[in-house]
Amino acid sequence: MAISVETTILKAKSDRALKWKKAKKMKMLYVLLLLPVIHLAIFHYAPMYGVIIAFKDFKAGLGIWDSPWNNFEHFKNMFHDFVFIRALRNTIIISVLRLVVGFTFPIIFALLINEIMHNKFKRTVQSISYLPHFMSWVIIASMVVEVFSPQRGIVNYLITLFGGTPINFLSSKTFFVPLLLISDAWKEVGWASILYLASISSISPEIYEAAESDGANRFHKMIYITLPSLIPVITILFLLRLGHILSGGFDQILNLYSPLVYEVGDIVDTYVYRAGLVEFRLDYSAAVGLFKNLVGVVLLVTVNQIVRKFNDYGVW
């Protein structure tokens, strides 16, 4: 018994020494890791102290801690505010549509790119599709305004060429949301497909060869081999997207919307922006932002647990 205990202790010491030796070899990697950790601590965790103002009547002269508590008054007012309810409704609608369009298009795009046989043409298409991702929404919004302008836009030029009447797309409640979806998909489809293309490249060629020997054509291989192999990546990315379900695309909408389309285009993020920075209701906007993030966390945890009950794929 004594020998067994002594052996266990020696083994534990040996394991610790081995781990410490490996850690010393990778010390530069830990130094590199230190920079993003410091960034997270300063810009993501330290500001969480300010969330306290969501539960207070914030007075700038008194500061965050000395401002009086308000007994959840901001959260009560939130659900009696018609503008907030409208923004919440719009956020859910736009986010769900983004999830359908913006999540499925990259998968389809990756599958189609994978079927291109000419490597040079394939790389060219990929590179072109990545470019819009690196442009800010200020630039993209300017392009959208010019293309869909009722006076000088090419879309309205084609409409009038065929005898139609020019349409002010950005001021139309009917066309504003579809325009958001189209411009967002165009901007992000190439970049979002990178992970899927990387997963496809890891599929063993022998599986395709075996399927081909059994008479499978390219469509069959795409549907029955490539697509099922992407399920783990699709599941994880879907769960991560659900965590941002109440983020309807602040940068895009802020640069494209106007009071004429608030009824369909105003979302929680733009509502928080106006309440906090325009009306200077910092405590109320903090409460709305906290509610949005809480919903995202609850939704992510819930759906992750449901997914884990059926398979092993999940965020954790």
Side-chain angles (χ1 to χ4, degrees), residues 235 238-239 242 297-316:
T235 303
F238 179 76
L239 289 172
L242 281 179
V297 170
V298 170
L299 190 60
L300 174 61
V301 172
T302 303
V303 177
N304 185 71
Q305 292 302 112
I306 294 172
V307 169
R308 290 300 298 270
K309 286 184 180 293
F310 296 98
N311 55 50
D312 295 329
Y313 311 132
V315 179
W316 64 85

Side-chain angles (χ1 to χ4, degrees), residues 88-109:
L88 182 62
R89 180 201 66 197
N90 293 340
T91 303
I92 294 171
I93 292 171
I94 293 173
S95 295
V96 170
L97 291 174
R98 279 178 184 273
L99 199 60
V100 173
V101 176
F103 189 76
T104 55
F105 274 25
I107 299 172
I108 297 170
F109 183 74

Side-chain angles (χ1 to χ4, degrees), residues 209-266:
E209 292 170 4
E212 194 171 342
S213 64
D214 289 336
N217 57 32
R218 294 178 67 181
F219 180 76
H220 291 148
K221 288 186 285 185
M222 181 175 67
I223 296 299
Y224 297 109
I225 297 176
T226 308
L227 189 57
S229 300
L230 292 176
I231 295 300
V233 178
I234 292 172
T235 303
I236 292 172
L237 292 179
F238 179 76
L239 289 172
L240 293 175
R241 283 289 292 266
L242 281 179
H244 299 278
I245 194 69
L246 289 187
S247 298
F250 171 74
D251 291 342
Q252 179 191 21
I253 293 177
L254 184 67
N255 283 286
L256 289 175
Y257 84 151
S258 67
L260 294 172
V261 291
Y262 276 3
E263 187 176 335
V264 296
D266 192 25

Side-chain angles (χ1 to χ4, degrees), residues 70-300:
N70 64 3
N71 196 26
F72 299 96
E73 195 64 31
H74 295 314
F75 294 94
K76 296 173 186 175
N77 294 336
M78 186 192 311
F79 292 102
H80 290 91
D81 186 349
F82 164 75
V83 180
F84 168 75
I85 299 299
R86 185 185 65 186
L88 182 62
R89 180 201 66 197
N90 293 340
T91 303
I92 294 171
I93 292 171
I94 293 173
S95 295
V96 170
L97 291 174
R98 279 178 184 273
L99 199 60
V100 173
V101 176
F103 189 76
T104 55
F105 274 25
I107 299 172
I108 297 170
F109 183 74
L111 292 172
L112 295 177
I113 285 289
N114 185 59
E115 295 303 315
I116 298 176
M117 302 300 293
H118 195 286
N119 286 330
K120 189 173 182 180
F121 178 69
K122 182 178 181 178
R123 288 195 296 269
T124 302
V125 172
Q126 284 181 266
S127 299
I128 293 172
S129 68
Y130 299 159
L131 288 177
H133 171 80
F134 297 100
M135 290 188 279
S136 72
W137 271 115
V138 176
I139 298 172
I140 300 293
S142 301
M143 295 168 61
V144 171
V145 169
E146 289 300 315
V147 170
F148 291 93
S149 170
Q151 289 83 27
R152 57 187 179 275
I154 187 171
V155 174
N156 276 301
Y157 172 77
L158 293 174
I159 290 174
T160 54
L161 188 66
F162 289 98
T165 305
I167 302 169
N168 194 340
F169 290 93
L170 292 174
S171 298
S172 169
K173 297 175 185 177
T174 304
F175 294 105
F176 184 75
V177 174
L179 195 59
L180 292 179
L181 300 176
I182 293 169
S183 57
D184 179 65
W186 174 77
K187 184 177 187 295
E188 299 295 343
V189 67
W191 184 257
S193 66
I194 291 177
L195 284 176
Y196 301 118
L197 289 169
S199 298
I200 291 172
S201 66
S202 66
I203 301 172
S204 174
E206 296 176 358
I207 301 176
Y208 291 110
E209 292 170 4
E212 194 171 342
S213 64
D214 289 336
N217 57 32
R218 294 178 67 181
F219 180 76
H220 291 148
K221 288 186 285 185
M222 181 175 67
I223 296 299
Y224 297 109
I225 297 176
T226 308
L227 189 57
S229 300
L230 292 176
I231 295 300
V233 178
I234 292 172
T235 303
I236 292 172
L237 292 179
F238 179 76
L239 289 172
L240 293 175
R241 283 289 292 266
L242 281 179
H244 299 278
I245 194 69
L246 289 187
S247 298
F250 171 74
D251 291 342
Q252 179 191 21
I253 293 177
L254 184 67
N255 283 286
L256 289 175
Y257 84 151
S258 67
L260 294 172
V261 291
Y262 276 3
E263 187 176 335
V264 296
D266 192 25
I267 60 172
V268 172
D269 285 336
T270 53
Y271 176 75
V272 169
Y273 165 76
R274 291 200 311 276
L277 297 180
V278 178
E279 301 172 10
F280 211 68
R281 293 189 292 164
L282 299 177
D283 44 6
Y284 179 74
S285 63
V288 177
L290 181 61
F291 166 77
K292 186 197 83 166
N293 293 328
L294 183 62
V295 170
V297 170
V298 170
L299 190 60
L300 174 61

